[in-house]
Amino acid sequence: MRTAFSVSKSVPAKVAAIVIPVAASGPIPSGVGLNRAQLAALGFEGKTSQTHTLTPATGKTAVRVLVGIGDVRDLNTSVLRNVAASAARASSRYESIATTLPGVIRGSAKTSTQAVVEGIALALHRWVALKNDKSGLVKLTSVTLVSAEKTADVQAGMLMGIATSTAVCTARDFANTPPSHLTASQFADHAVAIAKASGLEATVYNRDQLIAMGCGGLVGVNAGSTEPPRMVKLVYTPTSAKGKVVLVGKGVMYDSGGISLKPTNESHAAMKMDMSGAAAVLSTMGALRAMKVKTQVTAYLMCTDNMPSGSALKLGDVLTMRNGKTVEIHNTDAEGRLILADGLSLGAESKPDAMIDIATLTGACLAALGKRMAGVLGNNAGVIDQLKASSTRTDELLWELPLFTDYRRMLDSNVADMRNIGGPLAGATTAALFLSEFVGSTPWAHLDIAGPMDADSDSGWLNRGATAYGTRLLIDFCANFTKPAKKK
Ligand code: BES
Ligand code: MN
Ligand code: ZN
């Protein structure tokens, strides 16, 4: 059940709980009914994201959930998003709430409201499709955003927040779904349905078509599987487009490692989420019309699982990719780059202004940056700068790693144009150097989301399980895109 949001100039009469923001200093809002000393005695100081519930004695008036907003000078939309998430968790057992949170940052009603809606919707999201006991679902389904002024901006921000958070929840649902419940062909069917609902052109390519197109990477990775591969091309064309972007998503529905079988049960268990990049791209595409994006965006979802079997890709095999380059396989677990290569080649053929790929690509990136940051590498500073700006706005953190071309020699092969793995060092960089072989001169950046694809616990806008990392980042990037300068 997704949360319903609405805007009102005043607190509705029948609401179960009122969420009241309280700063760490300065006056206490009148609705609280207690002074600062009394609140302090209850252990509530208004620290950022701290919450305290005041239950009325009579039962006739609404519960008041106080949420700390800390020092108002430190507030920004990223802090506000997490404050809203904490408030939502603290009030999740009430059916309806009203809150003045959108108004706590002066002069940014639209972006503040979007952040508040995102924080609430993302904190309340649960994936219970396969549970018979649905009691894990939160009760809170109705949120009224109270604002006496700028209601048009609040309304607009609310619609944006609904679009972005719906996209994130959809991507999380896909990534949380077990591999046998979401095969490449089923995922492609979902993509077609989303395209239909959101004004996108969709084309699905099957194995025979992929062979005819020369997509040796995607077909090669699929060789061991009983499930056929799918590539989905989605196109969003706004009226009077400002620029042209291509997105490519890694859609490995399950990554067993193939013949280079993954060594532990834990590493296997996480690999139903190896399609998180494709899920983020699909959800992004689904949100573009609602977000009134003025950039033309084409997406390639590269979907297959990676399985060992008698027909699987072998070590020493050589694949010929869509752009004609040959790749010697030295580890079948380095499969993501093989399927992305074909998507990037196809994307580059259309000469876009920028191309972004997003992938759960390397354990090395996870080791380097941990679970809260994605790595970004690319051949164009303008594209990377725009991604970094989106990262700041969305709180989907990025850290740039070097596309250090000296390391290209680690990919040298005796028999083909390159090998599919480098050495034991700089794994995120060698993976990106591999991808760079397929982008030609297109301004390009690669997002390695192996770290933040899932979260261990609920915290701020993140919930345990799949995070759909990159979804809001890519939506923001497409929405604010301007053509980068040609050279780095
Ligand atoms: N899907 C994995 C990367 C991954 C690891 C994602 C952990 C999320 C969490 C990828 O296909 C993979 O297996 N990469 C290998 C590459 C290596 C063989 C060069 C890796 O990182 O170990
Ligand atoms: Mn792998
Ligand atoms: Zn993988």
Side-chain angles (χ1 to χ4, degrees):
M1 182 73 157
R2 284 190 178 154
T3 323
F5 290 89
S6 60
V7 178
S8 170
K9 282 191 189 294
S10 59
V11 176
K14 278 200 178 148
V15 79
I18 305 171
V19 172
I20 306 175
V22 179
S25 61
I28 306 279
S30 58
V32 175
L34 296 173
N35 64 32
R36 204 164 275 285
Q38 290 167 315
L39 289 177
L42 296 169
F44 180 83
E45 295 109 352
K47 286 187 197 147
T48 308
S49 292
Q50 192 183 14
T51 60
H52 187 83
T53 303
L54 297 170
T55 316
T58 63
K60 278 195 179 144
T61 43
V63 169
R64 282 153 296 158
V65 176
L66 312 185
V67 61
I69 55 171
D71 185 335
V72 286
R73 287 164 303 187
D74 297 338
L75 271 177
N76 57 41
T77 50
S78 292
V79 175
L80 184 58
R81 188 182 294 106
N82 286 335
V83 165
S86 296
R89 288 203 177 90
S91 45
S92 63
R93 71 193 120 121
Y94 309 109
E95 275 170 20
S96 58
I97 61 169
T99 182
T100 52
L101 269 172
V104 298
I105 304 177
R106 293 268 146 242
S108 66
K110 196 165 153 186
T111 50
S112 286
T113 306
Q114 180 180 338
V116 167
V117 170
E118 288 170 350
I120 294 173
L122 299 187
L124 297 179
H125 174 257
R126 302 285 182 278
W127 192 73
V128 294
L130 298 181
K131 280 184 187 275
N132 282 303
D133 175 5
K134 308 280 183 200
S135 62
L137 276 177
V138 298
K139 287 224 181 80
L140 178 50
T141 51
S142 160
V143 177
T144 305
L145 305 166
V146 178
S147 177
E149 48 193 71
K150 300 221 169 139
T151 42
D153 286 352
V154 173
Q155 181 77 26
M158 180 189 80
L159 293 177
M160 303 264 169
I162 290 171
T164 55
S165 58
T166 302
V168 173
C169 293
T170 305
R172 284 183 183 178
D173 290 349
F174 284 135
N176 281 323
T177 303
S180 301
H181 287 72
L182 188 65
T183 62
S185 32
Q186 287 169 330
F187 187 61
D189 292 345
H190 284 292
V192 170
I194 288 174
K196 210 167 189 184
S198 49
L200 308 169
E201 198 186 301
T203 318
V204 179
Y205 300 86
N206 65 22
R207 186 168 180 275
D208 289 341
Q209 291 165 310
L210 290 165
I211 292 170
M213 290 165 82
C215 292
L218 183 52
V219 173
V221 170
N222 181 255
S225 182
T226 50
E227 282 294 332
R230 289 287 185 269
M231 181 174 77
V232 184
K233 181 183 181 185
L234 301 168
V235 185
Y236 169 74
T237 311
T239 48
S240 58
K242 280 194 320 226
K244 206 165 120 188
V245 166
V246 169
L247 305 177
V248 182
K250 171 178 173 181
V252 172
M253 312 312 291
Y254 181 70
D255 181 11
S256 72
I259 292 292
S260 313
L261 198 64
K262 287 189 180 292
T264 66
N265 288 343
E266 290 67 37
S267 56
H268 274 264
M271 286 305 128
K272 66 172 185 180
M273 296 187 190
D274 212 20
M275 32 56 73
S276 296
V281 170
L282 171 56
S283 287
T284 295
M285 295 302 290
L288 296 175
R289 185 173 66 185
M291 294 297 285
K292 302 188 167 66
V293 170
K294 284 292 168 204
T295 311
Q296 183 183 35
V297 188
T298 300
Y300 291 93
L301 314 178
M302 311 303 290
C303 306
T304 176
D305 40 22
N306 182 25
M307 295 296 282
S309 81
S311 60
L313 193 58
K314 304 170 192 77
L315 307 197
D317 272 344
V318 173
L319 300 176
T320 302
M321 317 300 268
R322 165 73 191 187
N323 74 349
K325 293 194 182 181
T326 55
V327 177
E328 184 189 7
I329 305 303
H330 276 255
N331 188 324
T332 62
D333 201 9
E335 84 297 342
R337 62 198 74 185
L338 300 173
I339 68 173
L340 290 171
D342 289 330
L344 290 168
S345 302
L346 286 163
E349 286 168 25
S350 66
K351 304 231 170 296
D353 300 311
M355 181 155 66
I356 313 292
D357 75 80
I358 177 165
T360 46
L361 205 63
T362 66
C365 195
L366 164 66
L369 301 177
K371 295 199 72 68
R372 194 53 184 85
M373 278 181 198
V376 58
L377 304 94
N379 64 8
N380 185 290
V383 176
I384 291 174
D385 284 347
Q386 290 185 49
L387 286 168
K388 286 178 179 169
S390 295
S391 165
T392 304
R393 287 189 290 264
T394 57
D395 197 31
E396 296 195 326
L397 304 181
L398 290 180
W399 202 264
E400 187 173 355
L401 297 173
L403 190 73
F404 185 48
T405 50
D406 276 20
Y407 292 167
R408 169 60 179 82
R409 65 173 76 104
M410 295 187 199
L411 295 170
D412 286 349
S413 161
N414 286 340
V415 300
D417 296 336
M418 68 197 100
R419 315 165 10 133
N420 76 325
I421 55 166
L425 305 176
T429 288
T430 52
L433 285 168
F434 180 94
L435 298 177
S436 74
E437 296 280 334
F438 302 91
V439 304
S441 59
T442 306
W444 154 80
H446 156 62
L447 301 172
D448 191 331
I449 56 165
M453 80 175 182
D454 64 345
D456 302 328
S457 59
D458 298 352
S459 163
W461 61 267
L462 291 159
N463 270 357
R464 191 155 57 92
T467 60
Y469 217 89
T471 306
R472 289 187 298 107
L473 179 90
L474 288 176
I475 294 171
D476 186 277
F477 174 82
C478 292
N480 294 287
F481 180 72
T482 54
K483 289 183 198 186
K486 275 275 170 287
K487 278 271 167 254
K488 194 170 178 138

